[in-house]
Amino acid sequence: MSVTSFRITPNTEPTSAGDRAAILADPGFGRFFTDHMVHVRWSASGGWETGEVRPYGPLSLDPATAALHYGQTVFEGIKAYRHPDGSVWTFRPERNAERLRASARRLALPEPDTGTFLEALEALVRQDVDWVPTPQHHGAESSLYLRPFMIASEPFLGVRPSRTVDFHVIACPTAAYFAGGVKPVRIWLSSHYTRAAPGGTGAAKCGGNYAASLAAQQEASAHDCEQVVFLDASEHRWVEELGGMNVCFVFDNERLVTPPVSGTILEGVTRASLLELAADAGLSVEERPVSIGEWIEAADSGALTEVFACGTAAVVTPIGELVTEERTIACGDSDGGTVGPMLRRALLDLQYGHRRDERGWMTRLA
Ligand code: COI
């Protein structure tokens, strides 16, 4: 994709300032969307067309649209943060652009370039800048969640890569991902289902991975758990990731351990960033396989001082309990520990402009 500017068609019936303020006061996650969206079309014959920012609204899709049948879709998650001076920034967007391209390759979709990906975010955020929460709106930790996605839009039922593809970006103001806020969550251990197998799509951010997690997620809900953790497909022994986020362990308050990105788990931008922030803070950092046996034994012995989920939406959320078919295992300090909260603070301080951006991780959008 190499479009250089987006056509802007303003929404003539935008949300009123009063309604927007009410939404920003209690946005939840993924429930309310801004007034505009980005759209860029690709075709096998003509490549990428000029992108547009247009009023947010339903897509009109032929019932034979390939994405609806064969799941040829990929997406991203990234946030825009309001800084104290009113400017709006995003975090390591080139990483998301790179991951979107990797996901697109795996799903046989065309690859948007980083410049256009960034331009699309910027165009949307500038148009809907009043939707980026300020600290007054909903505490200090609300942001605008941006959801770039691509769908196979050709109406055709043969199984082959679509010859037309639509790239969109939509945006929703967001507070904490979990309904209870940043409180320790309970995690269900899925013993029947796996999320991804070697050679499959586990490392791609594609709808199918999330669809495949939902039956296990239903089991989790039935056991009063907020998320599910998956083990590897071959041995059913190694911890991979949760339904929608990566997982980190802290041993003896000083060693941060997380499963390696080996092709079956998503390469989280938050995950990678926390590993660097942890090393800065003097923790030892290990990317290595963690078995479910090690998790349970270390929790029982007290060596496991914290477990937390991490991702763009989840940020850093403590995991209080692991629930299996046999028993419930308390994971580390009941108050959520110290390492996860420290890393969470360091990350948020950077993202919200309260800490110097020494690595050049932030990009200004508006
Ligand atoms: C994100 O963290 O951005 C995700 O895509 C995960 C999903 C739970 C919303």
Side-chain angles (χ1 to χ4, degrees):
M1 198 197 293
S2 59
V3 285
T4 50
S5 60
F6 286 74
R7 267 194 319 270
I8 312 274
T9 307
N11 192 331
T12 52
E13 291 176 13
T15 311
S16 70
D19 286 352
R20 191 176 62 234
I23 291 169
L24 290 173
D26 185 18
F29 178 85
R31 291 190 295 144
F32 302 104
F33 295 89
T34 65
D35 292 314
H36 297 86
M37 62 197 277
V38 161
H39 173 226
V40 192
R41 167 151 292 190
W42 174 91
S43 66
S45 54
W48 293 102
E49 296 175 9
T50 301
E52 56 173 347
V53 175
R54 68 177 197 217
Y56 183 92
L59 305 175
S60 170
L61 294 177
D62 189 292
T65 296
L68 300 178
H69 299 270
Y70 307 127
Q72 198 192 2
T73 68
V74 293
F75 71 96
E76 268 305 320
I78 184 167
K79 285 173 171 172
Y81 307 90
R82 178 84 67 179
H83 281 198
D85 66 358
S87 59
V88 177
W89 298 71
T90 192
F91 183 71
R92 309 188 79 180
E94 55 302 317
R95 284 242 168 182
N96 295 80
E98 186 52 49
R99 189 171 65 186
L100 182 67
R101 276 200 298 280
S103 301
R105 277 195 296 282
R106 182 62 185 83
L107 273 286
L109 286 161
E111 297 177 43
D113 66 45
T114 297
T116 309
F117 180 83
L118 276 176
E119 220 182 320
L121 302 186
E122 193 175 311
L124 181 59
V125 168
R126 288 192 174 195
Q127 194 65 27
D128 283 335
V129 72
D130 292 342
W131 285 88
V132 183
T134 64
Q136 291 78 38
H137 280 126
H138 190 269
E141 289 181 18
S142 47
S143 57
L144 188 68
Y145 183 81
L146 304 167
R147 172 53 65 88
F149 64 101
M150 278 201 276
I151 61 167
S153 50
E154 184 180 353
F156 177 63
L157 293 186
V159 183
R160 58 146 173 77
S162 179
R163 291 184 182 148
T164 58
V165 170
D166 286 286
F167 171 80
H168 294 277
V169 188
I170 55 175
C172 56
T174 178
Y177 177 73
F178 291 105
V182 190
K183 291 206 306 251
V185 291
R186 280 160 55 90
I187 301 293
W188 170 248
L189 173 65
S190 178
S191 47
H192 304 298
Y193 298 110
T194 47
R195 177 185 168 275
T201 58
K205 205 161 173 64
C206 64
N209 290 340
Y210 294 78
S213 77
L214 295 178
Q217 185 64 43
Q218 271 179 329
E219 273 189 2
S221 303
H223 290 85
D224 208 17
C225 292
E226 284 88 350
Q227 272 275 311
V228 54
V229 60
F230 290 103
L231 302 180
D232 73 294
S234 314
E235 294 181 64
H236 238 65
R237 176 173 176 215
W238 305 103
V239 176
E240 297 231 303
E241 66 177 289
L242 308 187
M245 46 212 74
N246 296 121
V247 60
C248 290
F249 301 88
V250 181
F251 292 88
D252 302 317
N253 289 311
E254 60 182 20
R255 277 185 300 128
L256 182 68
V257 178
T258 193
V261 285
S262 53
T264 51
I265 75 173
L266 195 76
E267 295 197 27
V269 179
T270 306
R271 172 191 175 282
S273 306
L274 292 177
L275 297 185
E276 288 196 43
L277 293 173
D280 279 359
L283 295 164
S284 88
V285 172
E286 296 169 31
E287 289 180 77
R288 64 158 173 89
V290 176
S291 71
I292 190 64
E294 179 183 5
W295 181 345
I296 293 173
E297 274 167 36
D300 284 342
S301 75
L304 183 65
T305 42
E306 282 168 63
V307 188
F308 58 82
C310 62
T312 300
V315 193
V316 172
T317 302
I319 295 176
E321 288 175 332
L322 173 68
V323 182
T324 74
E325 273 164 15
E326 289 80 36
R327 54 183 284 227
T328 295
I329 299 123
C331 299
D333 304 340
S334 55
D335 61 1
T338 53
V339 173
M342 179 272 289
L343 292 175
R344 177 171 214 284
R345 192 68 271 148
L347 183 67
L348 292 174
D349 281 351
L350 190 58
Q351 292 172 331
Y352 286 89
H354 299 302
R355 169 185 161 137
R356 223 162 69 84
D357 177 21
E358 279 154 7
R359 290 191 170 78
W361 279 353
M362 303 303 293
T363 294
R364 186 164 180 176
L365 293 176

